[in-house]
Amino acid sequence: MTSVPSDAAGTPSPAPTPLAARSPYELRVDLGKGVPEADVRSALATGDMGFLHSFTTGSAVDGPGVRVVAWTTGCMFRCLYCHNPDTWTMSNGIPVSLARATEELRKYRHGLKVMSGGFTLSGGEPLMQHRFAIKLLTAAHAMGIHTALDTNGFYGDRLADDELARIDLVLLDIKTWDPERHRRLTGMEIGPTLEFARRLAARKRPIWLRYVLVPGLTDDDADIEQVAAFAAELGSFERVDVLPFHQMGRFKWQRLKLDYTLDTIEPPSQEVVERVLGIFRAAGLKAN
Ligand code: SF4
């Protein structure tokens, strides 16, 4: 018989939160809160431990083929439309050794190859834990698994050129073009993201642009035309994914008692999505 862990008073301890989740929309908080500060610092410096919201399987929208996705915690942006604000704080994630994360991935190795899929590291912002991020992507690469990094690019300069070579695809989120609008949307500057895009293009690294379409916030034609022109000129953007805003993350803002300002915003109509896809296509990009 398997014994159930209990405290000194005999009260059964709750089962640890599993690494696997049905989707990133599971609300997860404080799972790494007990980790001593010195251990967090060491994890960030060495990359031998990271903080993950979860692993999910079967994604068809986070890179080519069917993807296993590891969702990191920690983000320097505060996007008004963020669908997963529980991933903003690193200590909300599960502390996971690199060895454990690699073993988790190894389970899917054969299936991913058969389905021409791969592994995507997303978040949160994975480069908040850039040592862990690159070590995990390197491990995936060494197993022959296609690797993708989903990033806002703000800390792209933390990766060396030889590390970029181990990332088969960068899914780069460009939120808007206008610097002031970018500050209002995310709380941060747009410059580092664009600089990272230029650097990837100069090294001929494949990029997919991810553009979250939010009515009233990121649906300005002139602004989107600028994003499209930038991506087309760089030449490394293999495709554009226009991601329509939705309200699946609203409950997280409410449960975390965060000030959610998009309560009344509806997802964009198909007509608006088509119009935006048309702007990217008119610039010569493949857009879906
Ligand atoms: S960059 Fe992504 S995870 Fe970070 S706040 Fe924005 S949408 Fe959320």
Side-chain angles (χ1 to χ4, degrees):
M1 196 176 82
T2 309
S3 64
V4 177
S6 63
D7 64 15
T11 311
S13 313
T17 305
L19 203 46
R22 279 188 307 281
S23 90
Y25 294 106
E26 283 186 14
L27 179 72
R28 294 187 161 187
V29 291
D30 290 346
L31 299 175
K33 207 159 190 179
V35 180
E37 186 56 37
D39 291 357
V40 174
R41 275 202 300 274
S42 153
L44 292 175
T46 64
D48 290 337
M49 185 181 84
F51 292 82
L52 294 180
H53 173 280
S54 58
F55 261 82
T56 59
T57 56
S59 166
V61 293
D62 297 296
V66 177
R67 315 293 296 184
V68 168
V69 185
W71 307 88
T72 60
T73 49
C75 188
M76 74 295 277
F77 283 14
R78 292 292 179 265
C79 299
L80 297 178
Y81 55 74
C82 183
H83 294 144
N84 290 303
D86 52 339
T87 64
W88 289 352
T89 311
M90 208 171 298
S91 62
N92 277 348
I94 303 171
V96 182
S97 69
L98 180 67
R100 183 182 169 201
T102 305
E103 275 320 297
E104 184 71 17
L105 196 50
R106 196 182 301 280
K107 290 197 276 188
Y108 306 107
R109 177 172 50 154
H110 295 298
L112 289 176
K113 281 185 197 160
V114 169
M115 292 184 289
S116 305
F119 171 60
T120 300
L121 192 61
S122 185
E125 169 47 53
L127 297 184
M128 290 285 285
Q129 314 176 45
H130 70 290
R131 298 319 310 153
F132 179 75
I134 195 61
K135 282 189 171 182
L136 187 52
L137 288 163
T138 301
H141 209 254
M143 282 186 248
I145 298 173
H146 178 276
T147 55
L149 171 69
D150 179 16
T151 178
N152 62 35
F154 195 82
Y155 281 164
D157 63 356
R158 291 182 165 194
L159 296 179
D161 287 349
D162 65 309
E163 292 171 336
L164 291 181
R166 285 172 247 156
I167 303 170
D168 296 313
L169 175 67
V170 173
L171 308 175
L172 185 65
D173 306 323
I174 299 182
K175 318 282 184 181
T176 184
W177 183 257
D178 179 71
E180 179 50 36
R181 185 184 281 130
H182 194 272
R183 268 191 292 276
R184 262 187 286 122
L185 271 180
T186 70
M188 301 295 274
E189 302 294 326
I190 192 173
T193 300
L194 302 182
E195 200 41 53
F196 187 47
R198 291 187 190 101
R199 183 170 159 230
L200 289 168
R203 279 152 192 81
K204 307 229 175 312
R205 303 309 302 153
I207 315 171
W208 287 11
L209 169 60
R210 314 253 277 180
Y211 191 83
V212 181
L213 179 59
V214 191
L217 288 182
T218 64
D219 60 350
D220 179 73
D221 286 8
D223 194 81
I224 298 167
E225 280 164 14
Q226 302 260 42
V227 174
F230 172 76
E233 195 185 326
L234 286 187
S236 249
F237 284 83
E238 292 182 344
R239 74 180 235 182
V240 181
D241 284 339
V242 173
L243 309 172
F245 167 77
H246 57 69
Q247 291 284 7
M248 281 169 70
R250 172 167 45 191
F251 83 98
K252 289 193 174 185
W253 286 75
Q254 292 165 344
R255 296 271 292 279
L256 295 168
K257 301 199 182 334
L258 296 167
D259 185 19
Y260 187 57
T261 54
L262 309 191
D263 234 347
T264 57
I265 298 200
E266 301 281 337
S269 64
Q270 193 53 38
E271 190 189 339
V272 172
V273 173
E274 287 300 330
R275 194 187 79 221
V276 171
L277 288 170
I279 294 173
F280 284 112
R281 287 173 188 150
L285 297 158
K286 185 176 164 214
N288 303 280

